[in-house]
Amino acid sequence: MADSLPVAVSILALAISATTAWLTLFRRGTVRMSQPSVIYFGPDGSRDALMEGVPKVFLRTLLFATSKRGRIVESLYVRVSRNESRQTFNIWVYGDDKLTRGSGLFVGESGVNFNHHFLAPRDENGFRFVEGTYRLELFAKLLGDNTSKLMFVQSLDVTKALADALASHRSGLYFDWGQETSRYMPHIDVRAQ
């Protein structure tokens, strides 16, 4: 009986070590994101003349990995739907002071906090933000995963007054997150020429 206590303690220690190794070394985990503090709909104010005025969705959020070893985000994209129309914003640019075209981002367990800009492709559709209720979905393609992961979904209302202001191509619509109301509050910002 006296010999069984050290054996039990050894088995318990081995189980704890195996669990710790799995949690820190082997588990892939996933990437998650915090509630964006701001979301923007409007024209891009790019320094690139070809991209000037292209519809853009912008948001600021923290991306973090649920595993110790982190994950690599191959790409992010946003899909915006209103009624039966849908637009994918597949050009991803991120950063704070210096913007980088998204082509892979390592996300560790402590996370990365960036501004994320999503531009619509230049095509004949000419997508515009008009009056209505929009469903914004943010997807991430993680290295090693076969499919994109839905990271965030939010419904946003664009009233007629806000849509009229957006028609000028010098105005952008910001949705700021209100902590106490737990909703996004819209406001128009007009860019100086």
Side-chain angles (χ1 to χ4, degrees):
M1 195 60 127
D3 292 334
S4 64
L5 182 62
V7 171
V9 170
S10 296
I11 291 172
L12 180 63
L14 180 62
I16 291 172
S17 296
T19 302
T20 303
W22 181 78
L23 289 173
T24 59
L25 300 174
F26 305 118
R27 188 173 73 106
R28 289 180 60 191
T30 191
V31 172
R32 294 204 177 139
M33 66 181 274
S34 65
Q35 179 78 40
S37 58
V38 63
I39 298 173
Y40 167 87
F41 287 173
D44 183 40
S46 177
R47 285 172 246 132
D48 182 353
L50 291 174
M51 299 306 285
E52 181 73 29
V54 169
K56 173 169 92 170
V57 173
F58 159 87
L59 56 91
R60 181 162 184 88
T61 191
L62 172 78
L63 298 173
F64 62 95
T66 61
S67 64
K68 286 274 189 201
R69 63 188 242 189
R71 293 294 301 266
I72 295 174
V73 175
E74 286 185 348
S75 64
L76 290 176
Y77 66 94
V78 166
R79 184 168 54 208
V80 175
S81 307
R82 183 186 60 82
N83 297 333
E84 295 298 318
S85 66
R86 180 184 293 183
Q87 177 66 52
T88 300
F89 291 76
N90 62 334
I91 301 171
W92 169 44
V93 180
Y94 68 91
D96 289 325
D97 297 327
K98 182 177 185 271
L99 296 179
T100 303
R101 180 86 180 243
S103 62
L105 174 66
F106 175 77
V107 178
E109 70 174 330
S110 60
V112 290
N113 193 19
F114 286 119
N115 294 326
H116 298 275
H117 305 258
F118 301 94
L119 302 171
R122 291 198 58 83
D123 60 16
E124 65 281 350
N125 292 342
F127 179 83
R128 295 178 334 148
F129 292 102
V130 296
E131 178 183 5
T133 299
Y134 288 83
R135 177 181 167 94
L136 182 140
E137 299 169 302
L138 185 131
F139 294 89
K141 174 68 173 75
L142 303 178
L143 184 66
D145 290 359
N146 293 328
T147 59
S148 295
K149 174 184 173 36
L150 178 62
M151 303 280 291
F152 176 74
V153 176
Q154 181 67 49
S155 289
L156 300 164
D157 290 321
V158 176
T159 64
K160 179 162 178 26
L162 295 171
D164 291 345
L166 278 174
S168 76
H169 296 297
R170 288 186 35 238
S171 300
L173 175 56
Y174 286 90
F175 296 91
D176 293 317
W177 180 249
Q179 290 297 332
E180 291 188 16
T181 59
S182 294
R183 67 182 184 90
Y184 283 98
M185 295 171 282
H187 69 89
I188 289 287
D189 185 52
V190 179
R191 187 174 65 189
Q193 281 196 0

